[in-house]
Coordinates of all heavy atoms in Angstrom, one line a residue:
M1 N 173.5 -172.1 11.5 CA 174.5 -171.3 12.2 C 175.1 -170.2 11.3 O 175.7 -170.5 10.3 CB 175.6 -172.3 12.6 CG 176.6 -171.8 13.6 SD 177.8 -172.9 14.2 CE 176.8 -174.3 14.7
P2 N 174.8 -169.1 11.6 CA 175.4 -167.9 10.8 C 176.9 -167.6 10.9 O 177.5 -167.7 12.0 CB 174.5 -166.6 11.1 CG 173.7 -167.2 12.3 CD 174.0 -168.5 12.7
H3 N 177.6 -167.4 9.8 CA 178.9 -167.1 9.8 C 179.2 -165.9 8.9 O 178.4 -165.7 8.0 CB 179.9 -168.2 9.3 CG 179.9 -169.4 10.1 ND1 178.9 -170.3 10.4 CD2 180.9 -169.8 11.1 CE1 179.3 -171.2 11.2 NE2 180.4 -170.9 11.8
V4 N 180.3 -165.1 9.1 CA 180.7 -164.1 8.2 C 182.2 -164.5 7.8 O 183.1 -164.8 8.7 CB 180.7 -162.8 8.8 CG1 181.1 -161.8 7.9 CG2 179.2 -162.5 9.2
L5 N 182.5 -164.4 6.5 CA 183.9 -164.5 6.1 C 184.3 -163.1 5.4 O 183.6 -162.6 4.6 CB 183.9 -165.6 4.9 CG 185.3 -165.8 4.4 CD1 186.4 -166.3 5.4 CD2 185.3 -166.7 3.1
I6 N 185.3 -162.5 5.9 CA 185.8 -161.2 5.4 C 187.3 -161.4 4.9 O 188.2 -161.9 5.6 CB 185.8 -160.1 6.5 CG1 184.5 -160.1 7.1 CG2 186.2 -158.8 5.8 CD1 184.3 -159.2 8.5
I7 N 187.5 -161.0 3.7 CA 188.8 -161.0 3.2 C 189.2 -159.6 2.8 O 188.4 -158.9 2.2 CB 188.8 -161.9 1.9 CG1 188.4 -163.3 2.2 CG2 190.2 -161.8 1.3 CD1 188.2 -164.2 0.9
H8 N 190.3 -159.1 3.4 CA 190.8 -157.7 3.1 C 192.2 -157.7 3.3 O 192.9 -158.4 4.0 CB 190.1 -156.7 4.1 CG 190.1 -157.0 5.4 ND1 191.2 -156.8 6.2 CD2 189.1 -157.4 6.3 CE1 190.9 -157.2 7.4 NE2 189.8 -157.6 7.6
E9 N 192.8 -156.6 2.7 CA 194.2 -156.3 2.8 C 194.4 -155.1 3.9 O 193.3 -154.3 3.9 CB 194.8 -155.8 1.5 CG 196.2 -155.6 1.6 CD 196.9 -155.1 0.2 OE1 196.2 -155.3 -0.8 OE2 198.0 -154.8 0.2
V10 N 195.3 -155.1 4.6 CA 195.5 -154.1 5.6 C 196.8 -153.3 5.4 O 197.7 -154.1 4.7 CB 195.4 -154.5 7.1 CG1 194.1 -155.1 7.4 CG2 196.5 -155.6 7.4
E11 N 196.9 -152.1 5.7 CA 198.2 -151.5 5.5 C 199.4 -152.1 6.4 O 200.5 -152.2 6.0 CB 198.1 -150.0 5.9 CG 197.2 -149.2 4.8 CD 196.8 -147.8 5.2 OE1 197.6 -147.3 6.1 OE2 196.0 -147.2 4.6
D12 N 199.0 -152.3 7.6 CA 200.1 -152.9 8.6 C 199.3 -153.8 9.6 O 198.5 -153.4 10.4 CB 200.7 -151.8 9.4 CG 201.6 -152.2 10.4 OD1 202.1 -153.3 10.3 OD2 201.7 -151.5 11.5
Y13 N 199.6 -155.1 9.5 CA 199.0 -156.1 10.3 C 199.0 -155.8 11.9 O 198.1 -155.9 12.6 CB 199.5 -157.5 10.1 CG 198.9 -158.5 11.1 CD1 197.7 -159.1 11.0 CD2 199.6 -158.9 12.2 CE1 197.1 -159.9 11.9 CE2 199.1 -159.8 13.2 CZ 197.8 -160.3 12.9 OH 197.3 -161.1 13.9
T14 N 200.1 -155.3 12.4 CA 200.4 -155.1 13.8 C 199.3 -153.9 14.2 O 198.7 -154.1 15.3 CB 201.8 -154.7 14.1 OG1 202.5 -155.8 13.7 CG2 201.9 -154.5 15.6
A15 N 199.3 -152.9 13.4 CA 198.3 -151.8 13.7 C 196.8 -152.3 13.7 O 196.0 -152.0 14.5 CB 198.6 -150.6 12.7
W16 N 196.5 -153.1 12.6 CA 195.2 -153.5 12.4 C 194.9 -154.3 13.6 O 193.8 -154.2 14.2 CB 195.1 -154.3 11.1 CG 193.8 -155.1 11.1 CD1 192.6 -154.5 10.5 CD2 193.4 -156.4 11.4 NE1 191.6 -155.4 10.5 CE2 192.2 -156.6 11.1 CE3 194.1 -157.4 12.0 CZ2 191.5 -157.9 11.5 CZ3 193.6 -158.6 12.3 CH2 192.3 -158.8 12.0
K17 N 195.7 -155.3 14.1 CA 195.4 -156.2 15.1 C 195.2 -155.5 16.4 O 194.3 -156.0 17.1 CB 196.6 -157.2 15.2 CG 196.3 -158.3 16.3 CD 195.2 -159.3 15.9 CE 195.3 -160.6 16.7 NZ 194.4 -160.6 17.8
H18 N 195.8 -154.5 16.7 CA 195.7 -153.6 17.9 C 194.2 -153.1 17.9 O 193.5 -153.3 18.9 CB 196.7 -152.6 17.9 CG 196.5 -151.7 19.1 ND1 196.9 -152.0 20.4 CD2 196.0 -150.4 19.1 CE1 196.5 -151.0 21.3 NE2 196.0 -150.0 20.6
I19 N 193.7 -152.7 16.8 CA 192.4 -151.9 16.7 C 191.4 -153.1 16.8 O 190.3 -153.0 17.4 CB 192.3 -151.1 15.5 CG1 193.1 -149.8 15.6 CG2 190.8 -150.7 15.2 CD1 193.3 -149.1 14.4
F20 N 191.6 -154.2 16.1 CA 190.7 -155.3 16.1 C 190.6 -155.9 17.6 O 189.4 -156.1 18.0 CB 191.3 -156.5 15.2 CG 190.6 -157.8 15.2 CD1 189.4 -157.8 14.4 CD2 191.0 -158.9 15.9 CE1 188.7 -159.1 14.3 CE2 190.2 -160.0 15.9 CZ 189.0 -160.2 15.1
D21 N 191.7 -156.0 18.3 CA 191.6 -156.5 19.6 C 190.9 -155.6 20.5 O 190.0 -155.9 21.4 CB 193.1 -156.8 20.2 CG 193.6 -158.0 19.7 OD1 193.0 -158.8 18.9 OD2 195.0 -158.1 19.7
N22 N 191.0 -154.2 20.4 CA 190.4 -153.2 21.1 C 188.8 -153.2 20.9 O 188.1 -152.7 21.7 CB 190.9 -151.9 20.9 CG 192.3 -151.6 21.6 OD1 192.5 -152.4 22.5 ND2 192.9 -150.7 21.1
A23 N 188.4 -153.8 19.8 CA 186.9 -153.8 19.4 C 186.3 -155.1 19.7 O 185.2 -155.3 19.4 CB 186.8 -153.6 17.8
A24 N 186.9 -155.9 20.5 CA 186.5 -157.3 20.9 C 185.1 -157.1 21.6 O 184.1 -157.8 21.3 CB 187.4 -158.0 21.8
N25 N 184.9 -156.2 22.6 CA 183.7 -156.1 23.2 C 182.6 -155.5 22.4 O 181.4 -155.9 22.4 CB 183.8 -155.1 24.4 CG 184.5 -155.9 25.6 OD1 184.4 -157.1 25.7 ND2 185.1 -155.1 26.5
I26 N 182.9 -154.7 21.4 CA 181.9 -154.1 20.5 C 181.5 -155.3 19.6 O 180.1 -155.5 19.4 CB 182.5 -153.1 19.6 CG1 183.0 -151.8 20.4 CG2 181.6 -152.6 18.4 CD1 183.8 -150.8 19.6
R27 N 182.3 -156.2 19.2 CA 181.9 -157.3 18.4 C 181.1 -158.3 19.1 O 180.1 -158.7 18.6 CB 183.2 -158.0 17.7 CG 184.0 -157.2 16.8 CD 185.0 -158.0 16.1 NE 185.7 -159.0 16.7 CZ 186.8 -158.9 17.5 NH1 187.4 -157.7 17.5 NH2 187.4 -159.9 18.1
K28 N 181.6 -158.6 20.3 CA 180.7 -159.5 21.2 C 179.3 -158.9 21.4 O 178.3 -159.6 21.4 CB 181.5 -159.7 22.5 CG 180.8 -160.7 23.5 CD 181.5 -160.9 24.8 CE 181.0 -161.8 25.7 NZ 181.6 -162.1 26.8
N29 N 179.2 -157.7 21.8 CA 177.9 -157.1 22.1 C 177.0 -157.1 20.9 O 175.8 -157.0 21.0 CB 178.1 -155.7 22.7 CG 178.6 -155.7 24.1 OD1 178.6 -156.7 24.7 ND2 179.3 -154.6 24.5
A30 N 177.6 -157.1 19.7 CA 176.8 -157.0 18.4 C 176.5 -158.4 18.0 O 175.5 -158.6 17.2 CB 177.7 -156.4 17.3
G31 N 177.0 -159.5 18.6 CA 176.5 -160.8 18.4 C 177.6 -161.8 17.8 O 177.3 -162.9 17.6
E32 N 178.8 -161.4 17.8 CA 179.9 -162.3 17.4 C 180.2 -163.3 18.5 O 180.3 -162.9 19.6 CB 181.3 -161.5 17.1 CG 182.3 -162.4 16.5 CD 183.5 -161.8 16.1 OE1 184.2 -161.1 17.0 OE2 183.9 -161.8 15.0
Q33 N 180.1 -164.6 18.2 CA 180.4 -165.6 19.2 C 181.7 -166.2 19.2 O 182.1 -166.6 20.3 CB 179.2 -166.7 19.0 CG 177.9 -166.2 19.1 CD 176.8 -167.1 18.7 OE1 177.0 -168.1 18.1 NE2 175.6 -166.8 19.1
N34 N 182.3 -166.4 18.1 CA 183.7 -166.7 18.1 C 184.3 -166.3 16.7 O 183.6 -165.9 15.8 CB 183.9 -168.2 18.3 CG 183.2 -169.0 17.4 OD1 183.4 -169.0 16.0 ND2 182.2 -169.8 17.7
Y35 N 185.7 -166.4 16.6 CA 186.2 -165.9 15.3 C 187.6 -166.6 15.2 O 188.2 -167.1 16.1 CB 186.5 -164.4 15.3 CG 187.5 -163.9 16.3 CD1 188.8 -163.9 15.9 CD2 187.2 -163.6 17.6 CE1 189.8 -163.4 16.8 CE2 188.1 -163.2 18.5 CZ 189.5 -163.0 18.1 OH 190.4 -162.7 19.0
Q36 N 188.1 -166.6 13.9 CA 189.4 -167.0 13.6 C 189.9 -165.8 12.7 O 189.3 -165.3 11.9 CB 189.4 -168.3 12.8 CG 189.0 -169.4 13.6 CD 189.0 -170.8 12.8 OE1 188.5 -170.7 11.6 NE2 189.3 -171.9 13.4
V37 N 191.3 -165.6 12.9 CA 192.0 -164.7 12.0 C 193.0 -165.4 11.3 O 193.8 -166.1 12.0 CB 192.5 -163.3 12.8 CG1 193.4 -162.6 11.8 CG2 191.5 -162.6 13.3
L38 N 193.0 -165.4 10.0 CA 194.1 -166.1 9.2 C 194.7 -165.1 8.4 O 194.2 -164.0 8.0 CB 193.4 -167.2 8.4 CG 192.6 -168.3 9.1 CD1 191.1 -167.9 9.1 CD2 192.8 -169.5 8.6
K39 N 196.0 -165.4 7.8 CA 196.7 -164.7 6.9 C 197.0 -165.4 5.7 O 197.1 -166.6 5.7 CB 197.9 -164.0 7.4 CG 199.0 -165.1 7.8 CD 200.2 -164.3 8.3 CE 201.4 -165.2 8.3 NZ 201.9 -165.8 7.1
F40 N 197.2 -164.8 4.5 CA 197.6 -165.5 3.4 C 199.0 -166.0 3.7 O 199.9 -165.3 4.3 CB 197.7 -164.5 2.2 CG 196.2 -164.4 1.5 CD1 195.0 -164.3 2.3 CD2 196.2 -164.2 0.2 CE1 193.8 -164.1 1.8 CE2 194.9 -164.0 -0.5 CZ 193.7 -164.0 0.3
A41 N 199.4 -167.2 3.2 CA 200.6 -167.7 3.4 C 201.8 -166.8 3.0 O 202.9 -166.8 3.6 CB 200.8 -169.1 2.8
D42 N 201.7 -166.0 1.9 CA 202.8 -165.3 1.5 C 202.6 -163.7 1.6 O 203.3 -163.0 1.2 CB 203.0 -165.5 -0.1 CG 201.7 -165.3 -0.9 OD1 200.6 -165.0 -0.3 OD2 201.7 -165.2 -2.0
D43 N 201.6 -163.4 2.4 CA 201.3 -161.9 2.7 C 200.7 -161.7 4.0 O 199.5 -161.9 4.1 CB 200.4 -161.4 1.5 CG 200.2 -159.9 1.6 OD1 200.7 -159.3 2.6 OD2 199.7 -159.4 0.7
A44 N 201.4 -161.3 5.1 CA 200.9 -161.0 6.3 C 199.9 -159.9 6.5 O 199.2 -159.9 7.3 CB 202.0 -160.8 7.3
N45 N 199.8 -159.1 5.4 CA 198.9 -157.9 5.5 C 197.6 -158.3 4.6 O 196.8 -157.4 4.4 CB 199.5 -156.7 5.0 CG 200.5 -156.2 5.9 OD1 200.4 -156.2 7.1 ND2 201.6 -155.6 5.3
H46 N 197.6 -159.5 4.2 CA 196.3 -160.0 3.6 C 195.5 -161.0 4.5 O 195.9 -162.0 4.8 CB 196.6 -160.7 2.2 CG 195.6 -160.5 1.2 ND1 195.8 -160.1 0.0 CD2 194.2 -160.6 1.2 CE1 194.7 -160.0 -0.8 NE2 193.7 -160.3 -0.1
I47 N 194.4 -160.5 5.1 CA 193.9 -161.1 6.3 C 192.5 -161.8 5.9 O 191.7 -161.1 5.1 CB 193.6 -160.0 7.3 CG1 194.8 -159.3 7.7 CG2 192.9 -160.7 8.6 CD1 195.8 -160.2 8.3
V48 N 192.1 -162.8 6.6 CA 190.8 -163.5 6.4 C 190.3 -163.4 7.9 O 191.1 -163.9 8.8 CB 191.0 -164.8 5.9 CG1 189.5 -165.5 6.0 CG2 191.5 -164.8 4.4
H49 N 189.1 -163.0 8.1 CA 188.4 -162.9 9.4 C 187.2 -163.8 9.2 O 186.3 -163.4 8.4 CB 188.1 -161.5 9.8 CG 187.2 -161.4 11.0 ND1 186.6 -160.3 11.3 CD2 187.0 -162.2 12.1 CE1 185.9 -160.4 12.4 NE2 186.2 -161.6 12.8
F50 N 187.1 -165.0 10.0 CA 186.1 -165.9 9.8 C 185.4 -165.9 11.2 O 186.0 -166.2 12.3 CB 186.5 -167.3 9.5 CG 185.5 -168.3 9.1 CD1 184.6 -168.1 8.2 CD2 185.4 -169.4 10.0 CE1 183.4 -169.0 8.0 CE2 184.4 -170.3 9.8 CZ 183.5 -170.1 8.9
S51 N 184.1 -165.8 11.3 CA 183.4 -165.5 12.6 C 182.0 -166.1 12.5 O 181.4 -166.2 11.5 CB 183.4 -164.1 13.0 OG 182.8 -163.2 12.0
Q52 N 181.6 -166.7 13.7 CA 180.3 -167.1 14.0 C 179.4 -166.1 14.7 O 180.0 -165.4 15.6 CB 180.3 -168.3 14.8 CG 178.9 -169.1 15.0 CD 179.0 -170.3 15.8 OE1 180.1 -170.9 15.9 NE2 177.9 -170.7 16.3
W53 N 178.3 -165.8 14.2 CA 177.4 -164.8 14.7 C 176.0 -165.3 15.3 O 175.6 -166.3 14.8 CB 177.1 -163.7 13.6 CG 178.3 -162.8 13.5 CD1 179.5 -163.3 12.8 CD2 178.5 -161.4 14.0 NE1 180.3 -162.2 12.8 CE2 179.8 -161.1 13.6 CE3 177.7 -160.7 14.8 CZ2 180.3 -159.9 14.0 CZ3 178.2 -159.5 15.1 CH2 179.4 -159.0 14.7
S54 N 175.4 -164.6 16.1 CA 174.1 -164.9 16.7 C 173.0 -164.9 15.6 O 172.0 -165.7 15.5 CB 173.6 -163.9 17.8 OG 173.6 -162.6 17.4
S55 N 173.1 -164.0 14.6 CA 172.3 -164.0 13.3 C 173.0 -163.3 12.3 O 173.9 -162.3 12.5 CB 171.0 -163.3 13.7 OG 171.0 -162.0 13.9
I56 N 172.5 -163.4 11.0 CA 173.1 -162.7 9.8 C 172.6 -161.3 9.9 O 173.5 -160.4 9.6 CB 172.5 -163.3 8.6 CG1 173.1 -164.7 8.3 CG2 172.8 -162.5 7.3 CD1 174.6 -164.8 8.0
A57 N 171.5 -161.0 10.5 CA 170.9 -159.6 10.5 C 171.9 -158.9 11.5 O 172.3 -157.7 11.2 CB 169.6 -159.6 11.1
N58 N 172.2 -159.4 12.7 CA 173.1 -158.9 13.6 C 174.5 -158.5 13.0 O 175.2 -157.4 13.1 CB 173.4 -159.6 14.9 CG 172.1 -159.6 15.8 OD1 171.1 -158.7 15.6 ND2 172.0 -160.5 16.7
A59 N 175.0 -159.5 12.2 CA 176.4 -159.3 11.6 C 176.4 -158.2 10.5 O 177.2 -157.3 10.5 CB 176.8 -160.5 10.9
K60 N 175.2 -158.1 9.7 CA 175.2 -157.1 8.6 C 175.0 -155.7 9.3 O 175.7 -154.7 8.9 CB 173.9 -157.3 7.7 CG 174.2 -158.5 6.7 CD 173.0 -158.6 5.8 CE 173.4 -159.6 4.7 NZ 172.3 -159.7 3.8
A61 N 174.1 -155.6 10.3 CA 174.0 -154.4 11.1 C 175.3 -153.9 11.6 O 175.7 -152.7 11.4 CB 173.0 -154.4 12.2
F62 N 176.1 -154.8 12.2 CA 177.4 -154.4 12.7 C 178.4 -154.0 11.7 O 178.9 -152.9 11.6 CB 178.0 -155.6 13.5 CG 179.3 -155.4 14.0 CD1 179.6 -154.5 15.1 CD2 180.4 -155.9 13.5 CE1 180.8 -154.2 15.5 CE2 181.7 -155.7 13.9 CZ 181.9 -154.8 14.9
F63 N 178.5 -154.8 10.6 CA 179.6 -154.6 9.6 C 179.3 -153.4 8.7 O 180.1 -152.8 8.2 CB 179.9 -155.9 8.7 CG 180.7 -156.8 9.6 CD1 180.2 -158.1 9.8 CD2 181.9 -156.6 10.0 CE1 180.8 -159.1 10.6 CE2 182.7 -157.5 10.8 CZ 182.1 -158.8 11.0
E64 N 177.9 -153.0 8.6 CA 177.6 -151.9 7.7 C 177.3 -150.8 8.5 O 177.0 -149.7 8.0 CB 176.3 -152.4 6.9 CG 176.6 -153.6 6.0 CD 175.4 -154.2 5.3 OE1 174.4 -153.6 5.4 OE2 175.6 -155.2 4.7
S65 N 177.5 -150.7 9.8 CA 177.3 -149.6 10.6 C 178.4 -148.4 10.4 O 179.5 -148.6 10.1 CB 177.4 -149.9 12.1 OG 178.7 -150.2 12.6
P66 N 178.0 -147.1 10.4 CA 179.0 -146.1 10.3 C 180.1 -146.1 11.3 O 181.2 -145.8 10.9 CB 178.2 -144.9 10.5 CG 176.7 -145.2 10.2 CD 176.7 -146.7 10.8
E67 N 179.8 -146.7 12.5 CA 180.9 -146.8 13.4 C 182.0 -147.7 13.0 O 183.3 -147.5 13.1 CB 180.4 -147.3 14.8 CG 181.4 -147.5 15.9 CD 180.8 -148.1 17.1 OE1 179.7 -148.7 17.2 OE2 181.6 -148.0 18.2
L68 N 181.6 -148.9 12.4 CA 182.5 -149.8 11.9 C 183.3 -149.5 10.7 O 184.4 -149.7 10.5 CB 181.9 -151.2 11.8 CG 183.0 -152.3 11.8 CD1 183.8 -152.3 13.2 CD2 182.6 -153.6 11.3
V69 N 182.6 -148.7 9.8 CA 183.2 -148.1 8.7 C 184.4 -147.2 9.0 O 185.5 -147.3 8.5 CB 182.2 -147.4 7.8 CG1 182.9 -146.5 6.7 CG2 181.2 -148.3 7.1
E70 N 184.2 -146.4 10.1 CA 185.2 -145.5 10.6 C 186.3 -146.3 11.2 O 187.5 -146.0 11.1 CB 184.6 -144.6 11.6 CG 185.6 -143.5 12.1 CD 186.3 -142.7 11.0 OE1 185.6 -142.3 10.1 OE2 187.5 -142.4 11.1
I71 N 185.9 -147.3 12.1 CA 187.0 -148.2 12.6 C 187.8 -148.9 11.5 O 189.2 -148.9 11.7 CB 186.4 -149.3 13.6 CG1 185.9 -148.6 14.8 CG2 187.4 -150.4 14.0 CD1 185.0 -149.4 15.9
R72 N 187.3 -149.3 10.5 CA 188.0 -149.9 9.4 C 189.1 -148.9 8.8 O 190.1 -149.3 8.5 CB 187.2 -150.5 8.3 CG 186.6 -152.0 8.7 CD 186.0 -152.6 7.5 NE 184.9 -151.8 6.8 CZ 183.6 -152.0 7.1 NH1 183.1 -152.8 8.1 NH2 182.7 -151.3 6.5
K73 N 188.5 -147.7 8.6 CA 189.5 -146.7 8.0 C 190.6 -146.4 9.0 O 191.7 -146.3 8.6 CB 188.7 -145.3 8.0 CG 187.8 -145.2 6.7 CD 187.2 -143.9 6.6 CE 185.9 -143.9 5.6 NZ 185.2 -142.5 5.6
Q74 N 190.4 -146.3 10.3 CA 191.5 -146.0 11.3 C 192.5 -147.3 11.3 O 193.6 -147.2 11.5 CB 191.0 -145.9 12.7 CG 190.2 -144.7 12.8 CD 189.5 -144.7 14.2 OE1 189.6 -145.5 15.1 NE2 188.7 -143.7 14.4
A75 N 191.9 -148.5 10.9 CA 192.7 -149.8 11.1 C 193.6 -149.9 9.7 O 194.3 -150.9 9.6 CB 191.9 -150.9 11.3
G76 N 193.3 -149.0 8.8 CA 194.0 -149.3 7.4 C 193.4 -150.4 6.5 O 194.2 -151.0 5.8
V77 N 192.1 -150.7 6.7 CA 191.6 -151.9 5.8 C 191.3 -151.3 4.6 O 190.7 -150.2 4.2 CB 190.2 -152.3 6.5 CG1 189.6 -153.3 5.6 CG2 190.6 -153.0 7.9
K78 N 191.7 -152.1 3.6 CA 191.5 -151.8 2.2 C 190.5 -152.8 1.5 O 190.8 -153.9 1.6 CB 192.9 -151.9 1.3 CG 194.0 -151.2 1.9 CD 195.2 -151.4 1.0 CE 196.5 -150.7 1.7 NZ 197.7 -151.1 1.1
A79 N 189.4 -152.2 1.0 CA 188.4 -153.0 0.2 C 188.1 -154.3 0.7 O 188.2 -155.3 0.2 CB 188.9 -153.1 -1.3
P80 N 187.4 -154.2 1.9 CA 187.0 -155.6 2.5 C 185.9 -156.3 1.6 O 185.0 -155.6 1.1 CB 186.4 -155.2 3.8 CG 185.9 -153.7 3.6 CD 186.9 -153.2 2.7
E81 N 186.0 -157.5 1.5 CA 184.9 -158.3 0.9 C 184.2 -159.3 1.9 O 184.9 -160.0 2.7 CB 185.5 -159.3 -0.2 CG 184.6 -160.1 -0.9 CD 185.3 -161.0 -2.0 OE1 186.5 -160.9 -2.2 OE2 184.5 -161.8 -2.6
F82 N 182.8 -159.0 2.1 CA 182.0 -159.7 3.0 C 181.2 -160.8 2.4 O 180.6 -160.5 1.3 CB 181.1 -158.7 3.8 CG 181.7 -157.7 4.5 CD1 182.2 -156.5 4.0 CD2 182.0 -157.8 5.9 CE1 182.8 -155.5 4.7 CE2 182.6 -156.8 6.7 CZ 183.1 -155.6 6.0
M83 N 181.3 -161.9 3.1 CA 180.4 -163.1 2.6 C 179.6 -163.5 3.9 O 180.2 -163.8 4.9 CB 181.3 -164.2 2.1 CG 181.8 -163.8 0.8 SD 183.1 -164.9 0.2 CE 184.5 -164.0 0.6
Y84 N 178.3 -163.4 3.7 CA 177.4 -163.9 4.9 C 177.0 -165.3 4.6 O 176.5 -165.5 3.5 CB 176.2 -162.9 5.0 CG 176.7 -161.6 5.4 CD1 176.8 -160.5 4.4 CD2 177.0 -161.1 6.8 CE1 177.3 -159.3 4.7 CE2 177.5 -159.8 7.0 CZ 177.6 -158.9 6.1 OH 178.1 -157.7 6.4
L85 N 177.3 -166.2 5.6 CA 177.1 -167.6 5.2 C 176.2 -168.4 6.2 O 176.4 -167.9 7.4 CB 178.4 -168.3 5.3 CG 179.6 -167.6 4.3 CD1 180.9 -168.1 4.6 CD2 179.3 -167.8 2.8
D86 N 175.5 -169.4 6.0 CA 174.8 -170.2 6.7 C 175.6 -171.7 6.7 O 175.7 -172.2 5.6 CB 173.3 -170.5 6.3 CG 172.6 -169.2 6.8 OD1 172.7 -168.7 8.0 OD2 171.8 -168.7 6.1
L87 N 175.7 -172.4 7.7 CA 176.4 -173.6 7.9 C 175.4 -174.6 7.4 O 174.3 -174.7 7.7 CB 176.7 -173.9 9.3 CG 177.5 -175.2 9.5 CD1 178.8 -175.2 8.8 CD2 177.6 -175.5 11.0
L88 N 175.9 -175.4 6.4 CA 175.1 -176.6 5.9 C 175.5 -177.9 6.5 O 174.8 -178.8 6.8 CB 175.3 -176.7 4.3 CG 174.7 -175.7 3.5 CD1 175.1 -175.9 2.1 CD2 173.1 -175.6 3.7
E89 N 176.8 -178.0 6.7 CA 177.4 -179.3 7.3 C 178.7 -179.0 8.0 O 179.5 -178.1 7.7 CB 177.5 -180.3 6.2 CG 177.9 -181.6 6.5 CD 178.1 -182.5 5.4 OE1 177.4 -182.3 4.3 OE2 178.8 -183.5 5.5
E90 N 179.0 -179.7 9.0 CA 180.2 -179.6 9.8 C 180.7 -181.2 10.1 O 179.8 -181.9 10.4 CB 180.0 -178.9 11.0 CG 181.4 -178.6 11.8 CD 181.0 -177.8 12.9 OE1 179.9 -177.9 13.6 OE2 181.8 -177.0 13.4
G91 N 182.0 -181.3 9.9 CA 182.5 -182.6 10.2 C 183.9 -182.7 10.7 O 184.6 -181.6 10.7
V92 N 184.2 -183.7 11.4 CA 185.7 -183.8 11.8 C 186.1 -185.2 11.2 O 185.4 -186.1 11.3 CB 185.7 -183.9 13.4 CG1 187.2 -184.1 13.8 CG2 185.1 -182.5 13.9
L93 N 187.3 -185.2 10.6 CA 187.8 -186.5 10.1 C 189.1 -186.9 11.0 O 189.7 -186.2 11.5 CB 188.3 -186.2 8.6 CG 187.2 -185.8 7.6 CD1 187.8 -185.4 6.4 CD2 186.2 -186.9 7.5

């Protein structure tokens, strides 16, 4: 099960969230299946985006596309760090 973890700072969470929400169909069409958005406990502008994808290849193609680079600029994203991950184990306690 492919996942992507992105950690980045944004200039303004509210502005970023508006653009993020408007890109929901683009993400879905690219292969995103579900996501979580988290913030650092002491900094609302430091965001973690954790998502499940149809494939790592689809996720990389999407996140590295010129269209998304431009969307990130418009959203005020600073230096995103991408981690492409495969699930090894899942559990509920």
